Each structure stands twice: as structure tokens, then as C-alpha cells.
Amino acid sequence: MDQIKKRMEALRVEADESGARAEELKVKVKQLESETTQKEQEITSLSHKNSVLEGEVEKLEAQVKTYKDEAGAGAQAGTQAEGLQRKIQVLEEEAEESDRTIRELNEKLRQTDVKSGHYERKVQALEQARDQWETKYEEMATKFANTKKELDDFVGDLNNI
């Protein structure tokens, strides 16, 4: 009788631990899904930023060309040319900075894609583990029900004696 109680208690503890583990895994899956969504939003934001910066680079290149054309055509080439050259230099530096920013954003985007793939694999692994724990929990619940029935039958037999 004590063995049955101990066994039932052990099964209860195992079932409770399995349930708790399944809940932890569900929370972890939701957290990873949230992180994945956040990373996807970040990717979208970076892609948009990249497009905007590319547009700015084109605009700046057009301005550089315009300023160069104006510098060559101006009657007051001396002072205007120096001013335009400074502007061109600033614009070229801005273009270089924009190019650097684009490269950095592309690298961050690539890293985010890698992380996203990693998290997707983690989510799949956690879902598989959760499914295994749920299966184990169902098996333990069935064992518990069978053991309880055996105990009830045993108690009934003892009462009949």
C-alpha cells in the first residue's frame, strides 16, 4: 500500500513537473516568436532606411554633377568655384558616409537574417520538445488513471473482505 502511494506521489510529481516544463516551453516559444517578429520589423525598417539613403546618394550625386556643371559655366569662376568645390567636397563626404552607412546596414541586415534563421530553428526545436513533453504528460496521465483505478479496485477488494 505504501509502495502504491509512493508510486502515485512520484507520478503526480512527474506529471506536475512535465506540466510546468510544458508551460515554460510555451512561454519560451512565444518569446522567440515575439523576438522573430521584432527582428523582421527591424529588417523592414533597415531596408526602408537603405532605400531612402540610396535615394539621397543619387540626389547628392545629381547635385554634385549640377554643381560641377555650374562651376565650369560661371563667369565668376574664382570665388564660386571655390565655394562649389567646398560644397562638392562636403557632398562627396556625405555620399561616402551614406555609402558607409548603407554597407553597415546591409551587414546588420545580413546578421539579422542569420539570427532570424537561428531563432526559427530554436523555435522548431522548442516546439518539438514541447510536443514530446505533452506526449509524456499524456502517457503519465494515462498511467496515473490506470494506477488510480487499480488502487480503487484494491481498496474495494479490501472493503469486501
Side-chain angles (χ1 to χ4, degrees):
M1 182 93 163
D2 283 338
Q3 286 181 337
I4 292 173
K5 286 183 181 179
K6 288 179 184 177
R7 187 171 173 204
M8 282 181 41
E9 186 59 33
L11 287 173
R12 281 189 196 118
V13 168
E14 189 173 320
D16 289 344
E17 289 173 354
S18 295
R21 179 70 177 142
E23 287 301 317
E24 287 175 13
L25 290 174
K26 285 179 185 177
V27 168
K28 184 75 172 183
V29 166
K30 286 182 182 178
Q31 179 187 6
L32 290 173
E33 288 173 347
S34 173
E35 289 176 9
T36 299
T37 302
Q38 183 181 6
K39 294 297 178 185
E40 289 171 354
Q41 290 172 348
E42 188 175 320
I43 288 169
T44 302
S45 173
L46 290 173
S47 295
H48 175 70
K49 229 178 194 177
N50 190 16
S51 298
V52 169
L53 289 173
E54 287 174 353
E56 287 180 14
V57 166
E58 289 176 12
K59 196 185 309 179
L60 291 173
E61 288 173 349
Q63 285 180 344
V64 166
K65 186 178 182 314
T66 302
Y67 288 140
K68 284 181 180 179
D69 292 343
E70 290 176 0
Q76 303 165 342
T79 56
Q80 285 184 341
E82 288 178 15
L84 291 175
Q85 287 297 335
R86 282 191 298 271
K87 285 182 180 179
I88 289 170
Q89 185 178 1
V90 168
L91 291 173
E92 287 175 345
E93 289 171 4
E94 288 177 2
E96 288 174 8
E97 181 63 32
S98 294
D99 285 343
R100 220 178 358 264
T101 302
I102 288 170
R103 284 191 299 274
E104 290 171 5
L105 289 173
N106 283 334
E107 178 60 24
K108 286 180 183 178
L109 179 61
R110 188 193 61 75
Q111 290 174 358
T112 303
D113 283 343
V114 170
K115 285 180 183 178
S116 176
H118 173 73
Y119 286 126
E120 286 175 5
R121 288 187 297 279
K122 264 189 171 179
V123 166
Q124 288 174 348
L126 288 171
E127 287 174 343
Q128 288 175 349
R130 181 204 61 211
D131 292 342
Q132 290 173 351
W133 279 109
E134 286 176 353
T135 301
K136 204 173 204 179
Y137 174 75
E138 291 169 6
E139 290 172 4
M140 287 297 132
T142 302
K143 284 181 182 179
F144 174 76
N146 290 338
T147 303
K148 185 173 184 198
K149 185 179 182 306
E150 289 175 18
L151 179 62
D152 290 341
D153 291 344
F154 180 72
V155 170
D157 288 346
L158 283 178
N159 287 337
N160 289 338
I161 294 179

